[in-house]
Amino acid sequence: MSDHLPDIDHAALDALRELMQDDYPLLLETFLTDANLRLSQLSAALQSEDLEAFRQAAHSFKGSCGNMGALALENACLDGERAALKGDLAAAKVSYSNILACSSRVQTQLS
Amino acid sequence: MSIQATLSADSQVLTISVKGRFDFGAHQDFRNAYERSGLTPQEYVVDLHDTDYIDSSALGMLLLLRDHAGGDSAQISIVHCNPDVRKVLSISNFEQLFSIK
Amino acid sequence: MATQLSASALKVADRLTVLVADDNPADRMILGRLVERLGHQVYLAENGQVAVEQFSERRPDIVLLDALMPVMDGFEAARLIKQQAGEDLVPIIFLTSLTETDALVQCLEAGGDDFLTKPYNPVILDAKISAFRRMREMHQTLQAQRDVIAAQHASLLQDQEVAKIIFDRVAHSGALSHSSLRYLQSPYAMFNGDILLAANRPSGEMHLLLGDFTGHGLSAAIGAMPLAEVFYAMTAKGFALRDILFELNDKLATILPVGIFCCAVLIEVNPDKGLVEIWNGGLPDVMILGPSAELMRSVASTNLPLGVANRQRFNPQPEVMVMRPGERLLCWTDGVIESRNQAGELFGEAGVHEVLDAYLGHPGRIFDGLLGALERFHGSPEDDVSLLQVVMPERSERIPSPRATAPPSRPQDWCLSYTYRAASIREQNPLPFLLSRLLEIPGLRPQAGALFTVLSELYSNALEHGLLRLDSAWKQDSDGFALYYQERGERLRSLVDGWIRITLNHLPTPDGGMLQIECEDSGNGFAPDRACADYAGRGLALVAALAQEVEVKGASSTVRVVFSW
């Protein structure tokens, strides 16, 4: 499904730029810092096989991706959240690599 | 309880009909029935055909109507009373103040 | 976030303070800025615990709360915030990308009022904040109105409490403790406008008033004050029932608003003569029961209630009838007749007659029987009932009149004479005035009752036989009695000629004093020889028993009575 979604919804991003004005760069920086934090939380959760921690990190990451217009990444987080909820470690691992890929594309485009 | 006021075609007779219980709850509606501006009937008819019950505050309301209509010169008839209602009116001897039919 | 709102300039009154709690820094920044753009002031918190602290410190109007947060989650924070808010309405909107129904239910259970899903839509956010602002304003208005109503209600209750104390003292006083009386006044009835008064005339007759004001609570209590005042004052001064009735009606008609009035029964009990006078204006039939509790007579209401009729229309004439010792009189307010049982049926007059039939032969048990029947009918003690029973006392059981102790003082030497002509005789009762003159003499005060009785007898004899030419022979039986008093009323109203002169001659004696009362009238005299008949002429025999000396002079149109002490 993520294949069909664009990485970035540019209209949403324009609206954010307009809303945040001078603070827009700060918002981007905050989002990217938070993204790195979530990625390391996800990776740590997989290593310790803590699916609840994985679910929470994916859920929170999903929320901010939605607000930032990172559509493909948001969707990948949703997949991860569902896999963790089902207790499916293998699926969670697949989701994680998906999230990683999407995230690196978003980081490149936003920086 | 519901109260309806009807003015005769020549505007001379105002008929006020009381349905159900005629007690304190009817106070405002009963007043409104004759206090509407512009009404100057010569005669009032209080129709109690559909009144099941009447209490002393209703007697008070009838006295207020009588006062409004000119006191001793008021022409008010109370009509179609059932026996219970009639009894309450006659214990208080309202025949002396109203024409009860 | 396709739609953008331009920064709105809210009126100060519409500007709210909004607490935004979200652990995700980017989301927090965006939402904070969105709310600011709507014109509100924003406080930020990064977890539930900080949110609760911010809430106690800032008391924001609305709280936007993320559900999943570290340290303390949104559910717990919501519970604590609602607890702190108490009666104030503080809407909590959960920020969530939660889709599972269970989690949404959890939000509601924690006290959440609504949800806002990510990504945030500024239009929906604005609509929700505005809706909650209106709800909050309505809540505040309601709270303020409720507080005003509660304060007014409390003060009203206090007023009623005070009024009830006063009303109870007024409405429930006088000579009610006399052994000839039994009564019941339920507490609810009392403040519902029922009033029961008893007082003695100086000459020993007892006056009773059972009344029922329209309305209840304060309005009824207020009317009771002047009623009781007039009743007690006039009875103590010796006025007759008709004078008191006239005054009561006049007073109530003057002060009560149209539509408020008092249904009442007034009774005079005269054990000396074995007579009662009953006036019924708007209360159920007064019943008189014979020695075996058989119904002898009912006195129906034939008058308008007190406070309704003007002077011209008002008829203060009581019915006069014979009551022998042991006969009893029962009266009640309409609470008895109108008592309803659970099924809504009326106790009614039929209920009363059933009780009377059941206690035939047991007069002493009627009163309790009636109460019992009402209670059984109603299913619980009836709470809106006033009930009075009077048993006619034996002649010897004279109702005691208040006796003042006389301070010693020197008797005086004087003579007074009053002549009442037809117009005054028609309109007024001169006796209270004469009595008050006599009671200025300290030595006479202990004999006030006897003096008043003598004065009334002399005056009535002069009036009824001398001026009105009524024949005592009529008073041989109960029917004749009624006729006699009816005739008396009619002849009095049309009296145009004649006079009655009362001379009070007061002489000091070495040990005390002597009072001669002379009563003279313009008539042809009455016939003292008939004094032996049952009711007729009892008056003069009574006078003879009370005074030291009685002398009938001239063509028996002058009577002289002597009192010494």
Side-chain angles (χ1 to χ4, degrees):
Chain A
M1 226 167 49
S2 56
D3 298 343
H4 308 295
L5 287 170
D7 286 331
I8 298 287
D9 173 354
H10 288 283
L13 216 53
D14 288 346
L16 278 181
R17 191 179 286 117
E18 200 275 327
L19 175 71
M20 301 305 289
Q21 304 278 324
D22 292 349
D23 287 332
Y24 181 67
L26 179 63
L27 174 67
L28 287 187
E29 192 190 319
T30 306
F31 173 71
L32 293 174
T33 312
D34 185 61
N36 284 327
L37 175 67
R38 301 297 169 196
L39 288 175
S40 50
Q41 281 173 351
L42 288 170
S43 145
L46 281 182
Q47 261 165 32
S48 59
E49 301 192 355
D50 181 350
L51 282 179
E52 177 54 21
F54 186 87
R55 188 188 68 80
Q56 283 196 21
H59 176 83
S60 181
F61 200 12
K62 179 189 72 180
S64 54
C65 292
N67 277 329
M68 297 298 292
L71 299 182
L73 183 53
E74 181 191 14
N75 200 54
C77 288
L78 180 61
D79 283 346
E81 197 183 346
R82 282 181 181 153
L85 203 63
K86 274 191 277 185
D88 189 339
L89 186 62
K93 283 181 175 160
V94 174
S95 292
Y96 176 66
S97 37
N98 229 337
I99 290 170
L100 216 52
C102 287
S103 179
S104 91
R105 290 203 300 276
V106 167
Q107 297 214 13
T108 319
Q109 290 185 44
L110 289 186
S111 307
Chain B
M1 181 276 304
S2 82
I3 287 176
Q4 210 173 3
T6 338
L7 198 59
S8 64
D10 61 359
S11 303
Q12 296 301 294
V13 183
L14 181 71
T15 302
I16 304 172
S17 312
V18 182
K19 263 198 173 70
R21 293 170 70 88
F22 190 10
D23 59 13
F24 191 75
H27 183 75
Q28 199 53 47
D29 288 346
F30 189 75
R31 265 180 83 149
N32 291 345
Y34 60 83
E35 276 189 351
R36 282 178 299 159
S37 56
L39 287 186
T40 48
Q42 295 297 302
E43 200 189 321
Y44 293 82
V45 176
V46 180
D47 187 340
L48 302 183
H49 184 264
D50 296 315
T51 308
D52 331 309
Y53 169 84
I54 180 168
D55 76 352
S56 64
S57 51
L59 298 182
M61 288 179 244
L62 290 170
L63 291 178
L64 284 169
L65 167 63
R66 186 172 178 272
D67 198 47
H68 174 87
D72 281 349
S73 65
Q75 287 199 36
I76 303 173
S77 23
I78 301 174
V79 301
H80 302 135
C81 311
N82 74 31
D84 288 341
V85 169
R86 178 76 203 222
K87 172 105 194 163
V88 172
L89 290 171
S90 64
I91 283 184
S92 294
N93 290 281
F94 269 38
E95 300 90 343
Q96 297 182 22
L97 304 177
F98 300 90
S99 143
I100 300 178
K101 293 170 193 165
Chain C
M1 235 198 299
T3 320
Q4 267 308 339
L5 290 188
S6 59
S8 47
L10 286 180
K11 283 178 289 179
V12 178
D14 292 339
R15 190 171 298 146
L16 300 177
T17 52
V18 181
L19 174 62
V20 172
D22 194 330
D23 66 317
N24 188 303
D27 288 354
R28 195 165 64 232
M29 274 179 82
I30 294 170
L31 186 57
R33 185 57 65 88
L34 275 173
V35 175
E36 269 172 12
R37 280 280 286 265
L38 294 173
H40 307 297
Q41 176 163 12
V42 174
Y43 304 112
L44 297 172
E46 64 270 19
N47 63 46
Q49 194 177 329
V50 177
V52 174
E53 285 162 13
Q54 288 266 41
F55 180 81
S56 0
E57 200 177 320
R58 312 275 188 185
R59 297 298 280 200
D61 300 316
I62 295 183
V63 178
L64 306 177
L65 207 53
D66 191 16
L68 301 176
M69 289 185 287
V71 188
M72 181 191 289
D73 65 18
F75 306 121
E76 181 63 15
R79 259 189 286 276
L80 292 174
I81 287 172
K82 284 284 180 187
Q83 224 169 59
Q84 279 192 28
E87 281 192 343
D88 292 342
L89 178 74
V90 179
I92 294 181
I93 303 177
F94 271 100
L95 308 169
T96 175
S97 44
L98 295 175
T99 40
E100 304 82 29
T101 314
D102 284 356
L104 296 179
V105 167
Q106 214 182 341
C107 292
L108 290 177
E109 280 173 358
D113 297 290
D114 201 357
F115 306 99
L116 186 67
T117 51
K118 299 177 184 182
Y120 302 130
N121 179 322
V123 176
I124 292 175
L125 178 68
D126 190 25
K128 291 196 172 186
I129 290 180
S130 300
F132 280 115
R133 185 184 57 225
R134 284 193 295 273
M135 196 200 273
R136 220 182 118 86
E137 284 165 0
M138 215 182 305
H139 183 78
Q140 282 164 347
T141 308
L142 280 176
Q143 262 182 337
Q145 287 172 345
R146 180 204 61 187
D147 291 347
V148 169
I149 291 168
Q152 283 174 347
H153 184 65
S155 112
L156 196 66
L157 282 183
Q158 204 189 348
D159 286 351
Q160 287 198 345
E161 200 54 41
V162 173
K164 185 174 178 341
I165 292 169
I166 299 171
F167 185 80
D168 289 357
R169 288 181 187 163
V170 168
H172 196 176
S173 58
L176 282 172
S177 55
H178 192 263
S179 61
S180 61
L181 302 181
R182 271 199 75 183
Y183 62 94
L184 171 95
Q185 252 197 317
S186 45
Y188 185 65
M190 193 142 33
F191 206 52
N192 227 13
D194 282 10
I195 182 166
L196 177 57
L197 308 173
N200 295 319
R201 288 177 86 183
S203 45
E205 300 92 340
M206 178 183 275
H207 281 173
L208 294 157
L209 185 159
L210 177 67
D212 179 5
F213 277 92
T214 43
H216 53 269
L218 282 176
S219 57
I222 286 165
M225 304 295 158
L227 188 80
E229 198 185 321
V230 169
F231 177 83
Y232 288 134
M234 290 186 75
T235 300
K237 285 185 185 144
F239 281 95
L241 212 54
R242 70 178 298 282
D243 300 315
I244 298 175
L245 276 159
F246 195 81
E247 186 61 28
L248 287 176
N249 182 64
D250 211 37
K251 185 118 190 175
L252 291 187
T254 311
I255 61 169
L256 294 182
V258 175
I260 305 276
F261 51 84
C262 183
C263 295
V265 163
L266 272 89
I267 302 168
E268 179 177 289
V269 184
N270 186 339
D272 279 345
K273 290 190 175 174
L275 291 181
V276 283
E277 297 188 5
I278 300 173
W279 183 95
N280 187 350
L283 282 188
D285 291 3
V286 177
M287 296 185 173
I288 296 175
L289 306 185
S292 348
E294 76 279 18
L295 180 61
M296 293 168 53
R297 223 183 136 168
S298 319
V299 180
S301 157
T302 49
N303 300 289
L304 287 164
L306 293 173
V308 175
N310 56 24
R311 282 159 188 258
Q312 290 72 36
R313 195 189 291 276
F314 186 69
N315 174 15
Q317 206 56 58
E319 287 193 48
V320 183
M321 59 198 75
V322 176
M323 239 177 107
R324 291 182 176 79
E327 292 178 356
R328 65 194 59 223
L329 177 157
L330 286 170
C331 60
W332 42 74
T333 54
D334 54 13
V336 170
I337 308 281
E338 288 182 5
S339 177
R340 280 174 193 273
N341 65 10
Q342 305 297 334
E345 295 158 342
L346 278 176
F347 188 72
E349 283 168 40
V352 173
H353 284 286
E354 264 175 44
V355 174
L356 293 186
D357 290 346
Y359 287 92
L360 202 61
H362 305 282
R365 287 162 54 195
I366 283 274
F367 190 83
D368 290 317
L370 199 51
L371 290 187
L374 275 171
E375 187 169 337
R376 275 192 304 281
F377 179 78
H378 193 67
S380 60
E382 180 53 89
D383 60 356
D384 192 12
V385 166
S386 294
L387 197 62
L388 171 69
Q389 173 186 265
V390 185
V391 179
M392 188 57 135
E394 294 290 338
R395 274 186 76 180
S396 53
E397 298 172 38
R398 235 185 109 98
I399 299 168
S401 58
R403 286 178 165 250
T405 45
S409 86
R410 294 181 60 78
Q412 300 142 316
D413 190 354
W414 50 257
C415 176
L416 273 178
S417 177
Y418 290 92
T419 304
Y420 297 94
R421 299 199 184 85
S424 328
I425 294 170
R426 273 200 318 268
E427 299 299 326
Q428 352 167 324
N429 176 356
L431 298 177
F433 170 76
L434 289 175
L435 184 71
S436 68
R437 285 280 87 79
L438 287 177
L439 291 187
E440 283 166 14
I441 306 163
L444 282 178
R445 272 179 217 152
Q447 307 196 56
L451 267 176
F452 192 80
T453 306
V454 167
L455 272 174
S456 342
E457 292 309 329
L458 294 181
Y459 184 78
S460 330
N461 276 330
L463 175 66
E464 293 174 11
H465 307 308
L467 264 58
L468 303 180
R469 299 163 178 282
L470 293 159
D471 189 344
S472 289
W474 292 356
K475 296 202 270 184
Q476 295 294 354
D477 59 41
S478 300
D479 288 345
F481 228 94
L483 182 70
Y484 180 91
Y485 277 94
Q486 192 189 344
E487 193 64 24
R488 179 190 191 278
E490 280 166 21
R491 292 192 189 179
L492 180 60
R493 271 191 293 281
S494 49
L495 184 72
V496 282
D497 287 317
W499 48 261
I500 298 173
R501 180 175 303 132
I502 294 177
T503 306
L504 305 172
N505 194 4
H506 185 254
L507 304 160
T509 59
D511 302 325
M514 185 177 83
L515 177 74
Q516 286 182 30
I517 304 173
E518 207 169 85
C519 184
E520 197 183 341
D521 65 68
S522 60
N524 295 329
F526 58 95
D529 51 307
R530 286 219 180 99
C532 55
D534 189 9
Y535 301 113
R538 176 171 286 171
L540 211 53
L542 192 64
V543 171
L546 290 169
Q548 273 74 34
E549 226 178 275
V550 181
E551 183 195 351
V552 179
K553 296 198 297 190
S556 70
S557 64
T558 303
V559 181
R560 193 176 67 93
V561 172
V562 178
F563 268 91
S564 330
W565 64 94

